[in-house]
Amino acid sequence: MRTITKNGVRIDDTFAEAFPMRGTALILTGPNKRWARQAAVTMTGFATSVIGCGCEASIDGEVEARDTPDGRPGVRVLIFAMSSNDLQTQLVNRVGQCVLTSPGSACFSDLVAADALKVGDLLRYFGDGWQISKKFGNRHFWRVPVMDGEFLCEATTGFTKGAVGGGNLLICGADYEKTLRAAEAAVEAMNEVRDAIMPFPGGIVRSGSKVGSKYKALHASTNDAFCPSLRGMTKTALDDDIGCVLEIVIDGLTEAAVADATRAGLAAIIKLGPRNGARRVSAGNYGGKLGPFHFHLKDLLA
Amino acid sequence: MTLVLTLKVTPPQRLDLSVLLPHLLADKSSKDVAAIDLATTREKITVGDLFRIRAGSAEEIRFEGGSERFDGVGQGLQQGRIFVAGDAGINAGRQMTGGDLVISGNVGPYAGSAMTGGRLEILGNAGDFLGAPREGELNGMSGGLLVLRGAAGRRAGDRLRRGTILIEGDAGDWLGSRLIAGTLIVLGRVGVSPGYLMRRGTIVLAKPPALASTFVDCGQFASSFPAVFGRFLLPESRGAARLFRAPLRKFAGDMAVLGKGEIFVPA
């Protein structure tokens, strides 16, 4: 494969192939930063991949108290799914089980869009008749009495059909330590990009997959071409100087957010250089025929 | 440019100004406007008889000078803006569904009666039955925002169903009587029996009188709701925003009826 070398890091002339998704954004607040974050962490747990989790979700960033609707510390979370129905189901289950239950929490929509999903409009029934509806201007809230006071929840949240899921970077390094360092640096830089999340643990996935399997029941299986221990046994994509590969997957509310996150990650990896970090960066695609969004790495070099 | 109607003479009779709305005057020339009949008696009286007209876009109508005889100002307002530099009579902003109506003086009874949307601001005082239903109607105000800078008469917010009424001055007896839902805030003093027979809804009182025995004490109130609502109200009223920032105590009632309403007072 042709490569471009930047600061000693080889960038493959390839692209990440991504897919349309549905996505929404919420602001969760709490009595302090710790409990705002706890609600967000719990709600976005077990949400790495739509394949097994039903949705992909993570924290987009912290929101200062002065910028939240109720003046308390907040956290912005993004949730993505393949269909509007899936997103609706996941959203109400997760807010209901993880945010409603979290001490002192409140839940606000943070995406204005023509299409809406129900949040408080469904969770209000928990109030068993004691729930109170409040409207002001074009915003509608439900107040649900709970044991520590009231759970305040916006009735609906906007969602976009223009979200993009599956942007990715394959980070290849000499050994485990250096590759992880490069991946961590990339995630840290990408966390600064608004409207984009990296849903895997700490933003990093070590078990990248390919489409299909030798077993009929499985749709996806290990990406053997990038497994260092299978070099020589399979048609490998790895060079002799690569001992470890980690992947970062990106979901964004817009195509631009995914591109910006990819750009930020690439810049951080290149800045770190091959001595302490990655020797090569590649990206995953399916030949370009499955997903409509193509993020060419060479176009995203700062 | 604003359409300006400057009052030339004291109206010789009560007027029906509900015909002077932006959407009704959109395509009319000054001559057409001058010919509009405002009479409520058999004596005909037209816009031209009463006002000096400065032509302009009817999207914004400005009355220079008002009168206690200006009935139905902005009644049925749908969009655009009306400003009255002066007083108005009964039914100001009644049944408005949108737009912005500002009256710099005092208004008579039934201001904002049964309004469903838009914003009504009265800089002076209001008569009885602010936002209330008229005879035979089931609901009072059911949407929008009503801001009264002065004092209200009796039974302000009667049968309020949705929307927000903010009274910066005092309010008379039976504030929020028969309240169905919605939010009613009073920064000044309040007469007897606020929330009389209220079913649901929220009344917030900065200086509460003794509440009726059919209101039960629910203790100190913990919720994000006052903070959120206070922030919404900040552009309208610093006093209201301050009231919502302080700790509140909740009373539930009126237990003589459904009892799911609430009166908040400073804790």
Side-chain angles (χ1 to χ4, degrees), chain A residues 35-53:
Chain A
W35 284 103
R37 196 163 183 86
Q38 185 63 61
V41 166
T42 309
M43 190 199 140
T44 57
F46 187 58
T48 56
S49 165
V50 287
I51 297 170
C53 308

Side-chain angles (χ1 to χ4, degrees), chain B residues 49 187 190 232:
Chain B
D49 296 336
L187 303 186
V190 175
F232 285 143

